[in-house]
Amino acid sequence: MDIATVIGLALGAGLMLLGVVTGGLALTDLIDIPSVMITFGGAAAATIISFPWTSTIGVGAVTKKAFQNPPSDLPGLITTLVSFSEKARREGLLALEDDINELPEEFLKKGIQLVVDGTDPELVRNIMETEIGNTATRHAYGRSWWDAYAGFAPGFGMLGTLVGLVGMLKNLGGGDASAIGQGMATALITTLYGSLAQNLFAAPIVRKLTRRSEDELVVKQVMVEGTLSIQSGDNPRIVKEKLASFLTPAERTALKDDGD
């Protein structure tokens, strides 16, 4: 589980509640069922309209990725690619065929298999980079549901506020100042809900999913460069230095320690 997502949501909700309590309000003052229906329900309805039904059905699986922390061992991957480079230079590319099934990543398996089969290097790059492009497009489409929701939520919050103001103005003739104040407070709650839905959940989820996608694409790009370096017969030390450019300073240190 990604602890940052959980902590962020809990911290945001906790500070909101603390601000409400210390501001002299009761939690019940911010609970209004019609506002919930207009803001959250309206934004969800508009988002559902914007996408095929299959996208709405699959949004749960997409959202789940924001709460997961997929394992990523770039230094370990680079070490594997360097070892493949050493073996290919020593025994030839065909010697790698026995190691393909041991690879956990299907994308890398495909790349190494293409190399072993003697596929032209330019074609290998085109095939692998086309798959990377398709993966990026698929990820963008997956997170676009929440991106749309984040855009609709404030608008429906404002719509709910307008509905509340209409009701308040309708009762102005009664001359009850307290009723007018209560009506104004209720009307503004929907604006609060819209902002909360956008800024505490939907928009952060989109950003987290974007980061997940970027991390995965970096891993795949390392696989592409490593595969092509193996095919071209580059010196393993050169392969290691080339792929290390994708790492953070801390990861480069870990890679150097592994090499030692």
Side-chain angles (χ1 to χ4, degrees), residues 90-109:
R90 186 173 60 249
E91 304 175 29
L93 292 173
L94 289 176
L96 300 178
E97 191 162 20
D98 296 334
D99 300 312
I100 293 177
N101 291 331
E102 302 299 323
L103 295 172
E105 172 61 51
E106 288 298 326
F107 182 73
L108 183 57
K109 281 184 182 181

Side-chain angles (χ1 to χ4, degrees), residues 14-89:
L15 290 175
M16 278 288 299
L17 293 176
L18 182 61
V20 169
V21 173
T22 57
L25 295 174
L27 294 181
T28 53
D29 291 335
L30 295 182
I31 298 176
D32 185 68
I33 300 304
S35 297
V36 169
M37 291 189 293
I38 291 173
T39 306
F40 296 104
T47 306
I48 290 172
I49 293 171
S50 304
F51 292 89
W53 182 242
T54 51
S55 296
T56 299
I57 293 296
V59 72
V62 173
T63 306
K64 186 178 178 181
K65 294 180 181 179
F67 293 86
Q68 295 174 331
N69 195 16
S72 178
D73 182 16
L74 267 180
L77 171 62
I78 292 174
T79 298
T80 298
L81 291 169
V82 170
S83 69
F84 275 28
S85 176
E86 292 171 344
K87 185 173 183 178
R89 280 172 63 89

